[in-house]
Amino acid sequence: LHDALPIFAYIVILAVLLVLPLILGGTYYTNLASQILIAGIFAMSLNLLVGYAGLTSLGHAGYLGLAAYISSWLTVKLGWSHASTAAIAIVSTTAIAGIFGLIALRATGISFLMITLAFGQILWGLAYRWASVTGGDNGISGITRPSPFGIDMGEASHFYYLALIVFLLVWIAIAILVHSPFGATIRGTKDQPRRMSALGFNVWLIRWITFTACGFFGSIGGIMYVYYHQFISPHSLSLANSAEMLLMVIAGGAGTLMGPVIGAALVMLLKNVASQYVDHWVTLLGLVFIFIVMFIPGGIVAGFDRIKNALNSNK
């Protein structure tokens, strides 16, 4: 599960993902797989900020809500096409993320965390109170899914493959970004910001670009989220939703490519499967998180790496 998996391992994982609807064999679990892929997009986008730049945010659900509401309103109220509304939603959300970054990046540490929390709560308040546009607590419904090349995305397996394509494109883009020279500067601003500044790097600009990229990838997840649920409400922008995304990153392993995806799968499985058998599944999620923090510091990926290193040292 390390970032540098053998090519053969990636081929096997991709092959499993491609045949997963056939393996699962049911609409419910195929839909669950789609939800995991969408949650993985959110977790990967947040990981750019938390894992690689070292800036913890509690307002990431705001990007989900912004993109989803903009796309939904333009589609339902104005009747625009899915392609145009998705493009406008992604560009608008990315631009707003860039503007917000100008404010948030004036601070670091707990102050940055609180500013992002305030940002998320402001957007939640707007979605809840601006009922003439957002529908208030009732949200916006009647949203349809796109039909690229005439393919019906109402079919669970068809939508799964759409989610898989988008997920893979985002994963590849983020992998290229974090392994590029610019990705090295992002990690440098996390580990040694003063030294990076002394070497002539603009630490603030690097963080701002990363912050904006986080909003860009998060907006893509928001589009997929609203396509899946065909409904958007203020709950999607809530603090609980932002905290859930942060939990995915930390549980799986911040600063790794596979960690957020594994964390997203863990949280979504507990949320959708364990909740069928355990009434207080949130308590179970909390206990799992405590276990990871106490016994697997660094997340699940880091734990697998330690086991692998221990086995190799015993050979």
Side-chain angles (χ1 to χ4, degrees), residues 265-277:
L266 173 65
V267 171
M268 295 307 294
L269 286 172
L270 286 172
K271 185 176 181 178
N272 290 277
V273 178
S275 60
Q276 298 180 23
Y277 307 99

Side-chain angles (χ1 to χ4, degrees), residues 27-37 228 268-269 272-273:
T27 300
Y28 175 79
Y29 288 105
T30 301
N31 283 331
L32 178 57
S34 297
Q35 291 184 67
I36 291 173
L37 291 174
Y228 175 80
M268 295 307 294
L269 286 172
N272 290 277
V273 178

Side-chain angles (χ1 to χ4, degrees), residues 17 39 52 61 89 104 117 156 161 165 185 188 191-192 199 205 208 248 264 266-267 271 285 293 308-309:
L17 290 173
Y52 291 102
L117 172 59
Y161 286 115
I165 290 170
T185 64
D191 300 328
Q192 296 290 341
L199 290 172
L205 181 59
W208 180 81
M248 294 174 187
L266 173 65
V267 171
K271 185 176 181 178
L285 179 61
V293 171
K308 182 181 68 175
N309 294 333

Side-chain angles (χ1 to χ4, degrees), residues 42-53:
F42 286 123
M44 288 189 295
S45 62
L46 180 58
N47 185 46
L48 271 178
L49 204 59
V50 176
Y52 291 102

Side-chain angles (χ1 to χ4, degrees), residues 28-303:
Y28 175 79
Y29 288 105
T30 301
N31 283 331
L32 178 57
S34 297
Q35 291 184 67
I36 291 173
L37 291 174
I38 295 169
I41 294 173
F42 286 123
M44 288 189 295
S45 62
L46 180 58
N47 185 46
L48 271 178
L49 204 59
V50 176
Y52 291 102
L55 298 169
T56 305
S57 169
L58 271 176
H60 197 64
Y63 304 131
L64 182 163
L66 273 173
Y69 268 111
I70 293 172
S71 174
S72 301
W73 192 86
L74 291 174
T75 302
V76 174
K77 304 297 183 181
L78 300 184
W80 290 13
S81 68
H82 288 290
S84 58
T85 56
I88 292 171
I90 291 171
V91 171
S92 301
T93 303
T94 304
I96 293 172
I99 294 170
F100 176 62
L102 298 175
I103 302 170
L105 290 171
R106 295 171 65 89
T108 56
I110 190 66
S111 298
F112 176 85
L113 177 69
M114 296 308 294
I115 292 174
T116 59
L117 172 59
F119 168 69
Q121 291 301 99
I122 289 170
L123 291 177
W124 174 85
L126 285 173
Y128 187 77
R129 294 293 181 182
W130 199 3
S132 60
V133 174
T134 65
D137 197 35
N138 294 322
I140 299 177
S141 57
I143 303 161
T144 60
R145 292 177 178 176
S147 301
F149 307 107
I151 301 173
D152 179 20
M153 289 300 152
E155 176 69 29
S157 59
H158 293 171
F159 187 84
Y160 167 82
Y161 286 115
L162 174 64
L164 177 61
I165 290 170
V166 175
F167 170 83
L168 291 174
L169 290 174
V170 170
W171 190 89
I172 291 170
I174 291 177
I176 292 172
L177 175 63
V178 299
H179 287 109
S180 68
F182 181 75
T185 64
I186 295 174
R187 293 190 294 274
T189 61
K190 171 188 175 182
D191 300 328
Q192 296 290 341
R194 291 185 179 180
R195 182 172 294 180
M196 291 290 290
S197 182
L199 290 172
F201 291 95
N202 189 328
V203 172
W204 181 91
L205 181 59
I206 293 170
R207 287 175 171 171
W208 180 81
I209 294 173
T210 307
F211 191 99
T212 306
C214 175
F216 169 74
F217 290 115
S219 68
I220 296 174
I223 296 296
M224 294 303 300
Y225 178 91
V226 79
Y227 284 166
Y228 175 80
H229 291 282
Q230 298 179 274
F231 173 77
I232 185 68
S233 72
H235 171 73
S236 303
L237 293 87
S238 66
L239 173 60
N241 216 17
S242 290
E244 193 175 278
M245 296 177 193
L246 183 59
L247 181 60
M248 294 174 187
V249 176
I250 296 174
T256 64
L257 284 173
M258 292 298 297
V261 180
I262 295 172
L266 173 65
V267 171
M268 295 307 294
L269 286 172
L270 286 172
K271 185 176 181 178
N272 290 277
V273 178
S275 60
Q276 298 180 23
Y277 307 99
V278 181
D279 291 334
H280 303 288
W281 72 268
V282 178
T283 303
L284 177 61
L285 179 61
L287 292 173
V288 170
F289 181 66
I290 291 172
F291 175 83
I292 291 173
V293 171
M294 292 183 64
F295 299 102
I296 319 177
I300 296 173
V301 168

Side-chain angles (χ1 to χ4, degrees), residues 2-15 171 257-258:
H2 192 266
D3 281 358
L5 282 173
I7 297 297
F8 176 74
Y10 285 115
I11 294 174
V12 171
I13 292 172
L14 179 59
W171 190 89
L257 284 173
M258 292 298 297

